[in-house]
Amino acid sequence: MPLNPERASCHPASADRALVRGLLRWLANNARPFPWRTAPPGRRDPYVVLVSEVMLQQTQASRVAVLLPRFLDRFPSIEALAAASEDEVLALWSGLGYYRRARMLHAAARACLVQYEGRIPTDPEALQGLPGIGRYTGGAIASLAFGLPEPLVDGNVARVLLRLEGRPGVAGSPEVTRWSWKRAAELVQAAPNSAPAFNEALMELGATICTPAPRAPQCDVCPLRAGCKARQTGQSVSIPAPQPSKSLRRIYATTIVLVLSGNRTVIEQRPARGLWASLWQAPTLEHERRHCTKQEAAAALHLEAGSLHPGPAYTHRTTHREICFQVWKARVRPGHLAACLRTVVRADQLGDFGLSSAQRRILDSVLG
DNA sequence: AAGCCGGGGCT
DNA sequence: AGCCCAGGCTT
């Protein structure tokens, strides 16, 4: 008689408790110091947990470690964030990518003011009702800030759990997601009082020891190596299976950096939807198949073709786009600017605007 | 269920 | 240079 798969994956609570204990011992000596880890897990400032966890979505911790302090310095409280303009929030998010997160975080701060008297709710259901907060981020706030025994599963946790179990599956697939949350909930139930530290330990182990391909996991120093099925069967590297590759779209972008007296330049705002939505940039023309010609670029800005001088060229890659930038540079007098080019800023004011990394790099290189 | 949204680090 | 990682929302 075949085993019921649900029964076959059942774990004795005593084994789960031992696993939790092992991880907690390991975390005590191996947690990396990060700006959002200023208090023990379960007793952190909910606002700092909210901001850092939204930043950490799809973003490496080392990157967040650099940019979080600047953000918290400017917006030290949920009231300060709610009172800010969206433009300024985007400026402080510049360089982090996935800029919709910044808008939703801003909206979440305002929602907390309106609905919860400026407090961040403790209930996971209420948390998930806030913009930009899903199952993972809601669990992280409930657990790491409020100390509740809530499970949480991010990419690191899913990978660790899959390898422990020797369970194949494609990262991020619905089936893997379902199973990971169920397993994480079982483990949290095995030691509800230690849930926050346990959650953090699982994520930290995944980030530093049980690393994703192509980095080889450091199984020889893993606190869970004795009970890891993937290690026993030599499958650590092949679990989880890679996601099917996505198609890459190429875009040809022609950017014209206008230089005015006093080291000033002209910027424009991108459309509210799509790539780099609502962010600022030097005037840019985008095409599907080729760069526009020097004449086309000059005509679009009502300049003489002779006033354009070649600048740097480089390719900017994102997950599913390749943007080939061709840069032109033109010195112009303020009185000769076309009407559509009305936002003139000093080079040293560009930090006050939300710019993509690509535009930041272009403007920095041309304006010095 | 599938597609959209950046950026940086690894080998 | 090429390949990889990862939440939440929208459609």
Side-chain angles (χ1 to χ4, degrees):
Chain A
M1 190 163 81
L3 284 170
N4 179 333
E6 295 300 325
R7 299 284 297 172
S9 69
C10 191
H11 302 76
S14 59
D16 283 356
R17 280 195 295 273
L19 191 159
V20 172
R21 275 199 305 274
L23 262 183
L24 292 177
R25 256 198 315 275
W26 173 82
L27 183 72
N29 298 319
N30 292 278
R32 295 168 296 172
F34 282 124
W36 55 92
R37 291 183 176 168
T38 50
R43 293 195 275 131
R44 294 191 181 138
D45 178 346
Y47 172 68
V48 176
V49 175
L50 166 66
V51 174
S52 60
E53 287 300 339
V54 172
M55 283 190 178
L56 285 161
Q57 293 169 5
Q58 309 282 292
T59 304
Q60 291 177 347
S62 59
R63 193 84 193 122
V64 176
V66 171
L67 294 168
L68 177 70
R70 184 184 74 176
F71 193 96
L72 290 178
D73 198 45
R74 172 59 190 86
F75 309 120
S77 65
I78 198 156
E79 290 84 5
L81 180 57
S85 71
E86 190 174 285
D87 262 354
E88 199 183 354
V89 176
L90 283 172
L92 273 291
W93 202 266
S94 189
L96 274 170
Y98 286 126
Y99 294 90
R100 194 169 54 165
R101 292 183 297 170
R103 278 193 206 86
M104 291 192 293
L105 175 62
H106 187 220
R110 293 191 164 178
C112 286
L113 242 66
V114 172
Q115 297 177 36
Y116 304 107
E117 300 171 324
R119 296 187 184 281
I120 294 168
T122 59
D123 171 35
E125 299 272 324
L127 284 165
Q128 285 181 55
L130 293 170
I133 299 185
R135 201 173 175 187
Y136 163 76
T137 309
I141 297 171
S143 170
L144 301 176
F146 298 120
L148 299 178
E150 288 293 322
L152 62 82
V153 175
D154 69 351
N156 288 318
V157 172
R159 184 175 58 256
V160 171
L161 296 180
L162 286 171
R163 285 177 176 170
L164 271 174
E165 202 64 20
R167 198 185 162 92
V170 175
S173 68
E175 204 275 329
V176 161
T177 302
R178 250 196 320 276
W179 179 83
S180 304
W181 279 95
K182 182 167 159 283
R183 184 74 187 109
E186 287 173 5
L187 287 166
V188 159
Q189 280 316 305
N193 294 332
S194 323
F198 168 71
N199 284 333
E200 183 142 284
L202 264 187
M203 294 192 286
E204 189 70 0
L205 188 76
T208 60
I209 304 289
C210 196
T211 51
R215 285 176 65 193
Q218 303 173 50
C219 300
D220 48 334
V221 294
C222 179
L224 307 180
R225 60 185 176 279
C228 180
K229 299 222 172 44
R231 180 170 185 254
Q232 289 159 17
T233 55
Q235 291 180 290
S236 302
V237 184
S238 55
I239 295 177
Q243 295 174 4
S245 65
K246 301 139 198 146
S247 66
L248 195 71
R249 262 179 63 196
R250 181 170 284 120
I251 297 171
Y252 295 90
T254 306
T255 294
I256 302 104
V257 179
L258 300 170
V259 183
L260 288 78
S261 59
N263 206 24
R264 290 175 301 161
T265 192
V266 173
I267 55 174
E268 63 180 12
Q269 199 164 18
R270 293 180 61 86
R273 297 177 70 90
L275 182 70
W276 296 317
S278 298
L279 267 60
W280 295 83
Q281 63 183 8
T284 297
L285 304 158
E286 288 171 11
H287 292 284
E288 294 277 329
R289 302 178 60 88
R290 58 168 182 84
H291 284 114
C292 65
T293 64
K294 189 178 183 180
Q295 284 72 24
E296 288 167 335
L301 274 61
H302 302 100
L303 298 168
E304 300 292 331
S307 63
L308 295 189
H309 304 285
Y314 84 98
T315 301
H316 184 89
R317 284 182 197 79
T318 76
T319 302
H320 37 281
R321 262 187 261 250
E322 187 174 81
I323 305 111
C324 303
F325 280 96
Q326 186 171 74
V327 180
W328 296 95
K329 178 180 174 178
R331 180 164 280 283
V332 293
R333 281 189 234 279
H336 293 59
L337 278 180
C340 55
L341 305 173
R342 56 185 189 283
T343 307
V344 177
V345 298
R346 288 202 317 269
D348 62 329
Q349 291 175 314
L350 285 170
D352 298 337
F353 292 84
L355 298 177
S356 66
S357 289
Q359 286 288 326
R360 184 86 61 198
R361 176 171 164 181
I362 289 170
L363 285 160
D364 282 352
S365 78
V366 174
L367 299 172

